[in-house]
Amino acid sequence: MIALTIEKGFREVSTWDEVFEMPGYTNSLDPKEEELKQILGKYEFLTYEKCGLSNCGTPHGKGYIVETASGKLTNIGSYCGKKHFSVEFENLSRDFDRYYRDHKARERIETFQKSINSKFSEVASIENDFGNIDTAYKIQQFFKGKSRNYPKTIVQKLSKMVKDNDPNIYIDKMLSKEEIDAREASGQKNVSKYERVVADSITGLNFLYEYNDLRLLYVIEFKNSLEEIQKLNVDNLLSKDLDFWSKKIGELDSNIRRIREVMEEGYNFLQLGNMIKITSENSDDFRYLLFILNADYSMQITQYN
């Protein structure tokens, strides 16, 4: 691919022949006889052709199309450019690269602005599958103990699991006499009568991890960004702003995937069978939990069974 400057932007071409056919092109430019005027283009090809300087001729696939003060054009790599045209080449190539990056960033932003509604549609599809994102965020806060009426005992259990990064539920199992004898026979001393074993595990515990905070993923990193991008006028943006928003656009599809993953984790976490694992089905804590989720968040968890 090669990007050639034109009056209001760039023209991209795809073959070496299009370089060689440019008016004024020569494949034997003498750098001692020429003064660098400007850089017209930048190329990167899979196939190699020789450097256009008469004292080089090394095959390469990546470099610049340059024009000299006499009107001649040729292709040179960065090494030859710096060697024969020194600081002038470095300045011109740096300016060209910046100008080209700005051009591509403007293109990317303008193209994305036309497709923003499709991104909102993707999020609507997530909500159709797993429920309202704002409600899911409030439920995250509820189970972290950051909202009113939260069940203290349940939240404490879940907070420890999150802190330990361990979704397992443990019980102390009494060892049989045979098991104790076998351990003592193997050399163990002071063998306990009990062994801590995994009895079950909480599904979707990741829903409560801080890095899966839906306000961060949805409101700050996705929704607010899209609203800002909608308002951008690319002609008024500085290079650093073009870089920032072009990079942000590249992250949005990943953000949408993350939102879907967290919402699915939340859906699995809130299943009746999972809630029962946290506390006894017949306990006051469990009945209170179902009541609050229904009253404050309109969640009929009992219907998931």
Side-chain angles (χ1 to χ4, degrees):
M1 183 277 292
I2 179 171
L4 299 173
T5 53
I6 54 177
E7 184 177 353
K8 293 184 178 180
F10 291 84
R11 175 173 65 91
E12 295 188 354
V13 296
S14 57
T15 67
W16 277 110
D17 287 341
E18 291 173 277
V19 176
F20 303 150
E21 293 169 0
M22 294 174 65
Y25 176 82
T26 176
N27 62 2
S28 58
L29 184 85
D30 186 350
K32 296 178 181 179
E33 301 294 328
E34 300 290 340
E35 179 183 346
L36 189 61
K37 177 183 178 183
Q38 63 177 326
I39 291 179
L40 295 179
K42 183 176 183 177
Y43 57 86
E44 186 170 356
F45 294 116
L46 295 177
T47 57
Y48 284 23
E49 292 288 347
K50 71 174 188 174
C51 173
L53 298 184
S54 59
N55 59 354
C56 180
T58 303
H60 66 276
K62 184 177 180 180
Y64 295 87
I65 305 298
V66 299
E67 181 183 13
T68 64
S70 66
K72 294 178 181 179
L73 276 61
T74 198
N75 60 296
I76 59 174
S78 294
Y79 177 79
C80 281
K82 294 174 184 177
K83 180 180 178 180
H84 297 288
F85 298 108
S86 190
V87 175
E88 184 68 15
F89 175 83
E90 292 184 32
N91 291 338
L92 287 174
S93 61
R94 183 175 58 249
D95 291 345
F96 181 91
D97 289 345
R98 177 73 270 175
Y99 182 48
Y100 184 61
R101 284 198 300 273
D102 287 353
H103 167 75
K104 297 302 289 186
R106 288 190 184 93
E107 271 192 346
R108 187 177 199 183
I109 294 168
E110 288 179 323
T111 299
F112 185 83
Q113 285 175 324
K114 297 173 184 177
S115 67
I116 279 182
N117 288 339
S118 70
K119 300 304 174 184
F120 283 116
S121 295
E122 289 183 53
V123 170
S125 174
I126 294 172
E127 292 190 310
N128 184 62
D129 291 339
F130 301 112
N132 182 266
I133 295 174
D134 289 332
T135 300
Y137 167 70
K138 292 175 183 177
I139 292 172
Q140 281 182 323
Q141 299 302 97
F142 171 76
F143 278 105
K144 293 176 184 178
K146 297 180 180 180
S147 61
R148 66 188 181 90
N149 298 328
Y150 70 88
K152 187 174 181 180
T153 303
I154 292 175
V155 167
Q156 286 176 339
K157 289 180 181 178
L158 290 171
S159 295
K160 186 177 187 310
M161 287 181 168
V162 170
K163 181 180 178 181
D164 296 341
N165 191 26
D166 185 0
N168 292 322
I169 299 170
Y170 298 90
I171 61 171
D172 292 324
K173 170 193 169 187
M174 180 178 284
L175 298 177
S176 67
K177 184 177 183 304
E178 290 77 13
E179 288 174 317
I180 293 175
D181 291 343
R183 295 186 182 195
E184 289 177 341
S186 70
Q188 291 187 34
K189 296 180 179 181
N190 301 319
V191 177
S192 173
K193 293 181 179 180
Y194 295 92
E195 179 183 34
R196 194 162 179 78
V197 297
V198 175
D200 212 328
S201 63
I202 298 298
T203 303
L205 186 68
N206 286 348
F207 179 62
L208 303 182
Y209 288 6
E210 284 301 319
Y211 60 77
N212 284 332
D213 184 288
L214 282 167
R215 183 176 183 276
L216 172 65
L217 294 176
Y218 174 60
V219 178
I220 298 175
E221 294 185 355
F222 176 76
K223 187 178 178 181
N224 289 356
S225 293
L226 252 64
E227 291 173 351
E228 287 296 317
I229 292 170
Q230 277 183 314
K231 296 183 290 186
L232 293 178
N233 182 340
V234 295
D235 294 329
N236 296 334
L237 295 180
L238 300 175
S239 290
K240 63 183 181 65
D241 299 318
L242 289 166
D243 284 343
F244 174 83
W245 287 112
S246 180
K247 181 181 178 183
K248 178 65 68 176
I249 286 170
E251 296 169 350
L252 286 171
D253 283 340
S254 176
N255 289 348
I256 293 173
R257 287 193 296 272
R258 285 284 313 284
I259 292 168
R260 174 171 284 280
E261 289 168 1
V262 174
M263 289 294 288
E264 185 172 4
E265 290 278 12
Y267 178 83
N268 294 331
F269 176 77
L270 291 166
Q271 297 301 303
L272 176 62
N274 213 42
M275 296 294 97
I276 292 172
K277 296 176 188 177
I278 300 172
T279 185
S280 171
E281 183 176 5
N282 297 317
S283 69
D284 290 340
D285 279 342
F286 183 71
R287 286 189 286 270
Y288 177 74
L289 174 63
L290 296 188
F291 170 76
I292 291 298
L293 288 175
N294 181 25
D296 290 1
Y297 304 101
S298 301
M299 295 201 63
Q300 297 287 341
I301 292 182
T302 54
Q303 295 179 357
Y304 295 170
N305 192 9

